[in-house]
Amino acid sequence: MRRIFLDSKTIKKIAKNRDILEKELKVKIVEGKNFIDISGEGLTEYASSQVVEAINLGFDIQISLLLKEEDYILQKIHIKDYIGKSSQRLNQVKARIIGKQGKAIQNISQLSNCAIQLHDSTVGIIGRAENIEKILNGVISLIRGSEHSNVYSKLEKISHEEEADLGLKEKMPQ
C-alpha cells in the first residue's frame, strides 16, 4: 500500500474519478482527509502513484493515465533549482514558460510531442522517454533566459529529424 499526501482539491478530483482510475490502473483507492491510499501489485502501485502525482501537478486524467504505459514517464523541473529563491524572478520565469495567452507552453508541447503543466514552481512533463530529454533542454533554456525563437528552432530541428508521430498528439488536449 502507498500513502500519498495531497491537497483537498486533488483528493476531490481523484475521488470524482476514482472508478475510472481504479479500473484503468487495477488498484484500490481510498481517500483520507489529506491523503489517499493506493493498494495493488507493486508495479501497479508505482504507476498509480505517478498518475496521482501527475494529477496533482494539474494534468488531465487521460493524459495522466498515459503513465501506466511503460514507455511514458513523468519528469519534473523545479524552477527554483535554476534561479534561486527570488519570487520576482520566479514570476518572470513562469510567465516566460507560459507565454502570451499560453502560446509558449502550447508551442513547446506540440514541438516536443509531450504534455506540459506548470504548477507553483514546478514544470511537469509527460511524454515518451525519448522525447523527454529534448523538452527538458528546451524548458531549462527558457528558464535560463534563452529566446523563445531559439528554443522553438531547436525543438523543430529535432522534430523534423524524427518526423514520426509518436501517438501523443491525438491524446493531448488542444
Side-chain angles (χ1 to χ4, degrees), residues 10-155:
T10 303
I11 291 173
K12 287 177 185 174
K13 188 173 182 180
I14 290 170
K16 180 179 172 185
N17 294 285
R18 181 178 0 156
D19 292 342
I20 294 167
L21 292 169
E22 286 180 339
K23 180 182 176 191
E24 291 289 323
L25 298 168
K26 298 176 178 59
V27 294
K28 176 77 175 144
I29 299 173
V30 177
E31 303 94 28
K33 183 177 179 178
N34 62 347
F35 65 89
I36 62 163
D37 287 331
I38 300 172
S39 302
E41 294 181 24
L43 289 176
T44 58
E45 278 184 14
Y46 175 75
S48 299
S49 68
Q50 292 291 293
V51 169
V52 167
E53 190 171 355
I55 293 168
N56 192 41
L57 287 170
F59 285 99
D60 174 81
I61 297 291
Q62 293 305 316
I63 296 295
S64 299
L65 282 170
L66 289 172
L67 294 168
K68 72 180 185 174
E69 299 176 28
E70 66 182 51
D71 53 342
Y72 284 88
I73 60 173
L74 171 66
Q75 181 70 47
K76 296 186 293 186
I77 300 171
H78 300 285
I79 297 170
K80 291 180 178 179
D81 290 348
Y82 297 91
I83 64 163
K85 298 190 187 309
S86 166
S87 62
Q88 181 180 3
R89 179 81 174 110
L90 176 62
N91 290 334
Q92 290 171 343
V93 169
K94 287 167 65 172
R96 286 178 50 71
I97 293 169
I98 295 169
K100 288 183 182 177
Q101 299 176 340
K103 290 292 185 186
I105 200 166
Q106 186 179 40
N107 287 338
I108 294 168
S109 179
Q110 288 175 347
L111 289 169
S112 64
N113 203 18
C114 293
I116 307 168
Q117 280 292 328
L118 181 60
H119 179 73
D120 294 331
S121 63
T122 303
V123 178
I125 303 165
I126 295 177
R128 292 185 187 243
E130 61 267 14
N131 293 343
I132 293 292
E133 186 175 339
K134 66 182 176 185
I135 193 171
L136 280 175
N137 292 333
V139 172
I140 291 169
S141 292
L142 275 181
I143 291 169
R144 291 183 172 155
S146 291
E147 294 290 327
H148 287 88
S149 59
N150 292 340
V151 173
Y152 300 157
S153 177
K154 286 179 185 175
L155 289 173

Side-chain angles (χ1 to χ4, degrees), residues 152-166:
Y152 300 157
S153 177
K154 286 179 185 175
L155 289 173
E156 282 176 344
K157 184 178 178 185
I158 293 169
S159 294
H160 288 305
E161 290 170 359
E162 295 173 356
E163 206 61 353
D165 177 13
L166 299 175

